[in-house]
Amino acid sequence: RYFAEGADEIAFLNITSFRDLPFRDTPMLEVLRQASRRVFVPLTIGGGVRDIVDPDGAHAWPAVQVAGEYFRSGADKVSIGSDAVYAAERYWQRRADGAEPCDGSTAIEQIAARYGRQAVVVSVDPRRVYVRAPDAAPTHHVIATTIPGPGGERFCWYQCTVRGGREPRDVDVRQLATACEALGAGEILLNCMDRDGTNAGYDAELIADVKAAVSIPVIASSGAGCVEHFSEVVERTGVDAVLAAGIFHRREVPIADVKRHMAERGIPTREAAPCL
């Protein structure tokens, strides 16, 4: 459906990872096989791209082998979430210890080394942490915000999370993005937990901050509610691509309408293909 409606890329982000199944029986492998026979735009798969041991303990799957199975099933890119946060924490700890921060041990490094960095997407799930002043969070990158906190705070930093946003970590989004670029990530998929499902527009402050910190492409996600939100985030931040889910799933906004609006604003887009 999304290919027929004109999507340029499709991302399958599996939030359950099918932890109770042997990896070879993971339904997403068959989903990819079926989709790649009918869909001729890049496919990204996320969820469970990490070291895996089958539930019965009979087989261990290194992350690079997991990625390989996804690629052979039709994926063009894999998206790494929680493991990327852990990798960034380790990167900064090794730097603090005076050790080589890129030692080839992380999934990002191994997959990028074998398949190329263009095949590695890091999916980030940050949320705002409001503070009264920048020195209230001295180890994190604090920005001034035009969206005050619940106590009137005018500053915030973006805390990264793992396990689908359920567990906060002591690493900010800039620390994660710059570390993951150094480790070999080829793209950053930037989800804003505060805007997810709100239809209130993308968090331009978050996106602009990360876009300024890295040289690899940044994809904006979370918050789209109308066609104007797409052009607004591109014009305000220079972000490289824009992702949406709910408004397309529910058919609230057609992909063709988004592309038409972007073209009217002078933003280069591929024309939406006619329905097949």
Side-chain angles (χ1 to χ4, degrees), residues 11-14 28 32 43-47 49 70 75 77-80:
F12 297 100
L13 302 178
N14 169 28
M28 287 309 300
L32 281 169
L43 302 175
T44 299
I45 176 69
V49 183
Y70 282 136
K77 306 174 190 178
V78 293
S79 174
I80 302 174

Side-chain angles (χ1 to χ4, degrees), residues 80-87 123 161-164:
I80 302 174
S82 295
D83 259 25
V85 179
Y86 304 138
S123 180
T161 64
V162 297
R163 302 179 64 205

Side-chain angles (χ1 to χ4, degrees), residues 133-202:
D135 59 7
T139 62
H140 295 298
H141 179 73
V142 176
I143 66 167
T145 177
T146 60
I147 306 169
E153 300 92 343
R154 292 287 182 176
F155 298 91
C156 71
W157 62 280
Y158 287 92
Q159 183 174 36
C160 294
T161 64
V162 297
R163 302 179 64 205
R166 296 186 297 274
E167 180 184 322
R169 305 292 293 187
D170 190 27
V171 59
D172 68 54
V173 70
R174 264 218 182 198
Q175 291 167 333
L176 183 138
T178 53
C180 289
E181 180 178 26
L183 290 167
E187 294 181 5
I188 302 290
L189 173 56
L190 195 52
N191 312 295
C192 177
M193 301 292 290
D194 305 293
R195 295 292 181 96
D196 193 34
T198 65
N199 287 10
Y202 298 91

